[in-house]
């Protein structure tokens, strides 16, 4: 908290909001200059700004980080593209995404990251980074990555339509752990075991109806893969992050491994918190996912993991497919659904239902841990995920009490549908600000205004930009974790 001389002028002042800083929840006025948070002021403190936003009755949150999106660029832009995907993101309060490598071609080489950035530049409302992909037949390709291109690499241990590059070989997996230990890349896993599924397919045949899908892509796939990974972490000491944990057994194993001092972390998705097998029976292909949606007891366990802090972050696993693709026969229908727009509203709505005795301050503290400070810490995004002097001025104005439904015309993803259609959410994003400028503002109903698509590739920004004023470290820096 600083005093301020009346002559000091800021670019932007946000007055009157209850602010979730990342470490605290307080009444504050927030002053922004040069795209960064300049000062946190006592409410009503004397200050002058070019633009003042009054946000009484509202919460102000740090711009949220979604560390797991598939914006489908390059090669699959008929499913999603950066223009639509980033609109969906800012409409849901997300200002930073980390995009997955299973594109066409996949992101296997550092040069692929530069090509991808060239394709995206000028179309993104959000800042972005990329996860590198693990090429099962070319692990050496990971050697060329510097933190500018990626600080993390994702391997698929089971695959499907949009995930054809599967690391099946046990020797190669060991090799990955050996390399991972000294490459400095954090290893991310789609942790389902392809051998388990192949065995089941030989025995039963592939899923013939959506009801069979959970039975033939069961929890055993995830449990076997997670158990193998934990043994490898024990052997090699390489840190891992397990994506989209879907079952109670995986959550238990990973939490136990962490409690035993092993360097493991995990993510939970909004759809595994929001849907259960009963919904699959009703909604069929729409919520066909990899890993599958599981039972109520799994959902309860995953909620405990996000509320108690066992999960380090949440991701949307925003993985759009056209509805016409999704409703093909179960063997043909690709798993995945859009979710970056729904991620935060679904989390907040679910938290309220689960914890009716908790106040909004406490609920938003949990949300900002999972979508702000948590992923920022995991992925080296030092200037993101919190509101403090020197941080990027990525900010979200939230109406905490608004009840609303996601209608068709409000869906921003290129695929044009949402699994949450018909849901009533509580808590609505009114305005999203990135680098001190509004990128999303909701008018009446579904009408919305979007800003300039000048989001930056954070690798590049980290390498090029000198910090503005504050003397904080560059965003990505040269260190690897
Ligand atoms: C993802 C996709 O479509 O790219 N699908 C999904 O169901 N999660 C890929 C994946 O993570 O399996
Ligand atoms: Zn996955």
């Amino acid at each position: 908290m600083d005093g301020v001389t009346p002559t000091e002028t800021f670019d932007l002042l946000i007055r009157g909001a209850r602010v979730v800083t990342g470490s605290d929840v307080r009444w504050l006025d927030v002053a922004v200059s040069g795209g960064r948070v300049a000062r946190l002021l006592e409410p009503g403190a004397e200050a002058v700004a070019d633009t003042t936003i009054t946000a009484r009755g509202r919460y102000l949150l740090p711009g949220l980080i979604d560390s797991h999106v598939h914006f489908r660029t390059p090669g699959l832009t008929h499913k999603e593209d950066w223009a639509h995907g980033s609109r969906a993101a800012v409409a849901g309060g997300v200002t930073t995404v980390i995009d997955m490598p299973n594109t066409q071609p996949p992101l296997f080489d550092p040069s692929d990251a530069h090509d991808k950035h060239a394709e995206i530049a000028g179309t993104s409302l959000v800042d972005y980074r990329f996860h590198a992909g693990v090429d099962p037949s070319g692990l050496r390709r990971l050697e060329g990555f510097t933190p500018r291109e990626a600080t993390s690499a994702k391997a698929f241990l089971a695959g499907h339509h949009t995930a054809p590059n599967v690391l099946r070989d046990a020797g190669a997996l060991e090799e990955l752990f050996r390399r991972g230990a000294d490459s400095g890349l954090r290893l991310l896993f789609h942790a389902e075991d392809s051998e388990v599924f192949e065995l089941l397919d030989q025995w039963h045949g592939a899923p013939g109806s959506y009801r069979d899908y959970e039975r033939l892509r069961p929890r055993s796939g995830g449990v076997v893969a997670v158990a193998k990974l934990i043994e490898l972490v024990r052997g090699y000491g390489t840190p891992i992050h397990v994506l989209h944990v879907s079952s109670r057994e995986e959550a238990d194993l990973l939490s136990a491994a962490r409690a035993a001092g092993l360097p493991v972390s995990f993510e939970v998705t909004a759809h595994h918190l929001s849907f259960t097998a009963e919904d699959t029976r009703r909604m069929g292909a729409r919520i066909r996912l990899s890993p599958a949606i599981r039972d109520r007891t799994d959902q309860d366990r995953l909620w405990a993991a996000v509320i108690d802090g066992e999960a380090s972050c949440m991701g949307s696993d925003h993985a759009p497919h056209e509805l016409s693709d999704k409703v093909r026969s179960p063997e043909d229908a690709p798993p995945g659904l859009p979710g970056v727009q729904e991620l935060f509203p679904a989390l907040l709505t679910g938290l309220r239902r689960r914890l009716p005795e908790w106040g909004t301050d406490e609920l938003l503290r949990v949300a900002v841990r999972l979508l702000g400070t948590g992923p920022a810490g995991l992925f080296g995004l030092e200037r993101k995920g919190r509101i403090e002097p020197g941080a990027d001025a990525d900010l979200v104005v939230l109406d905490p009490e608004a009840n609303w439904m996601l209608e068709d015309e409000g869906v921003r993803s290129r695929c044009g549908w949402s699994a949450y259609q018909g849901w009533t959410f509580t808590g609505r994003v009114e305005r999203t600000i990135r680098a001190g400028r509004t990128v999303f503002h909701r008018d009446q109903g579904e009408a919305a205004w979007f800003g300039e698509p000048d989001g930056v590739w954070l690798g590049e920004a980290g390498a090029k930009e000198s910090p503005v004023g504050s003397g904080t470290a560059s965003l990505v820096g040269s260190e690897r974790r």
Side-chain angles (χ1 to χ4, degrees):
M1 181 81 46
D2 287 320
V4 63
T5 56
T7 48
E8 194 160 7
T9 304
F10 301 101
D11 296 345
L12 173 67
L13 259 176
I14 299 167
R15 295 236 193 229
R18 184 125 181 111
V19 180
V20 186
T21 63
S23 53
D24 211 357
V25 186
R26 308 178 52 183
W27 297 105
L28 289 169
D29 289 351
V30 175
V32 170
S33 276
R36 306 275 192 102
V37 175
R39 300 227 202 285
L40 303 183
L41 305 168
E42 291 294 350
E46 231 175 299
V48 182
D50 297 342
T51 307
T52 299
I53 293 172
T54 304
R56 252 174 262 295
R58 303 292 183 256
Y59 275 80
L60 190 70
L61 319 178
L64 304 172
I65 300 167
D66 186 347
S67 50
H68 189 163
V69 303
H70 302 260
F71 279 0
R72 306 295 196 205
T73 305
L76 297 167
T77 49
H78 54 289
K79 294 178 185 288
E80 184 63 295
D81 58 28
W82 220 277
H84 287 84
S86 73
R87 282 187 168 215
V90 294
V94 170
T95 52
T96 301
V97 300
I98 315 185
D99 190 63
M100 285 298 173
N102 57 318
T103 48
Q104 286 178 8
L107 197 161
F108 283 157
D109 281 310
S111 63
D112 298 330
H114 293 269
D115 293 347
K116 178 157 160 166
H117 164 62
E119 196 165 329
I120 293 163
T123 68
S124 180
L125 288 157
V126 297
D127 289 347
Y128 50 93
R129 282 187 68 68
F130 309 132
H131 298 295
V134 173
D135 177 359
S137 54
L139 297 181
R140 297 198 61 166
R141 299 171 88 174
L142 292 176
E143 281 172 11
F145 281 92
T146 72
R148 178 184 168 121
E149 290 104 11
T151 56
S152 47
K154 177 183 184 182
F156 282 90
L157 302 185
H160 53 83
H161 310 65
T162 43
N165 298 291
V166 176
L167 189 64
R168 290 171 207 279
D169 182 70
L173 185 57
E174 292 220 20
E175 173 74 18
L176 178 64
F177 270 77
R178 249 196 310 278
R179 286 177 182 280
D182 40 52
S183 77
L185 289 166
R186 182 180 293 274
L187 298 183
L188 272 52
F189 288 95
H190 180 124
E192 292 189 285
D193 191 90
S194 56
E195 279 178 28
V196 166
F197 293 160
E198 277 155 27
L199 197 59
L200 290 167
D201 285 354
Q202 282 163 26
W203 184 41
H204 268 308
S209 80
Y210 296 109
R211 278 164 196 256
D212 284 346
Y213 182 68
E214 152 67 12
R215 189 164 60 85
L216 290 169
R217 291 290 175 270
R219 65 186 61 241
S220 52
V223 176
V224 166
V226 162
K228 280 185 186 172
L229 290 173
I230 290 172
E231 279 318 296
L232 288 163
V233 173
R234 209 190 285 283
Y236 291 97
T238 314
I240 65 164
H241 180 63
V242 177
L243 301 160
H244 41 42
V245 166
S246 66
S247 73
R248 53 189 187 269
E249 290 87 350
E250 291 159 78
D252 282 351
L253 281 170
L254 290 163
S255 293
R258 190 148 122 166
L262 296 176
V264 303
S265 57
F266 67 95
E267 168 203 77
V268 173
T269 69
H271 46 256
H272 288 108
L273 294 176
S274 301
F275 301 108
T276 65
E278 282 166 44
D279 299 302
T280 308
R281 267 169 234 129
R282 194 167 48 81
M283 297 170 69
R286 280 190 178 224
I287 56 170
R288 183 184 186 180
L289 276 152
S290 172
I293 298 288
R294 307 211 187 277
D295 299 332
R296 169 104 21 215
T297 49
D298 298 297
Q299 194 188 51
D300 291 344
R301 179 66 185 86
L302 297 178
W303 272 110
V306 305
I307 293 165
D308 299 345
E310 295 163 277
S312 301
C313 63
M314 273 184 65
S316 69
D317 190 6
H318 177 86
H321 300 281
E322 306 102 302
L323 210 46
S324 56
D325 252 10
K326 291 289 286 181
V327 298
R328 293 197 310 231
S329 74
E331 314 92 273
D332 289 341
L337 49 74
V340 67
Q341 186 175 350
E342 302 92 330
L343 170 66
F344 170 60
L347 171 63
L348 184 56
T349 302
L351 282 171
R352 272 192 200 286
R353 285 203 193 118
R354 297 250 153 188
L355 302 166
E357 70 287 4
W358 283 32
T360 305
D361 282 9
E362 282 67 40
L363 301 177
L364 288 173
R365 225 188 268 272
V366 172
V368 166
R369 170 161 47 72
L370 290 159
L371 297 171
T373 48
L378 262 182
F379 296 108
L381 300 166
E382 286 98 2
R383 293 201 325 245
K384 304 290 189 188
R386 58 179 74 240
I387 301 177
E388 64 184 20
D392 286 344
D394 302 344
L395 304 163
V396 177
V397 179
L398 175 81
D399 180 347
E401 308 295 341
N403 289 314
W404 60 285
M405 286 175 87
L406 185 59
E407 310 289 353
D408 286 7
E409 61 273 25
V411 173
R412 307 290 169 189
S413 170
R414 175 153 201 179
C415 72
W417 62 278
S418 169
Y420 297 82
Q421 268 158 4
W423 269 51
T424 301
F425 293 109
T426 302
R428 186 160 209 191
V429 172
E430 281 189 346
R431 182 193 292 268
T432 304
I433 294 167
R434 184 184 38 74
R437 289 194 295 150
T438 296
V439 285
F440 167 76
H441 187 211
R442 196 171 54 76
D443 297 327
Q444 293 299 311
E446 299 303 331
W449 179 92
F450 292 93
E452 287 300 310
D454 55 3
V456 299
W457 182 22
L458 294 172
E460 195 170 55
K464 275 189 181 164
E465 265 180 18
S466 60
V468 182
S470 68
T472 45
S474 67
L475 185 56
V476 177
S478 55
E479 86 283 12
R480 287 176 154 197
R481 38 187 73 232

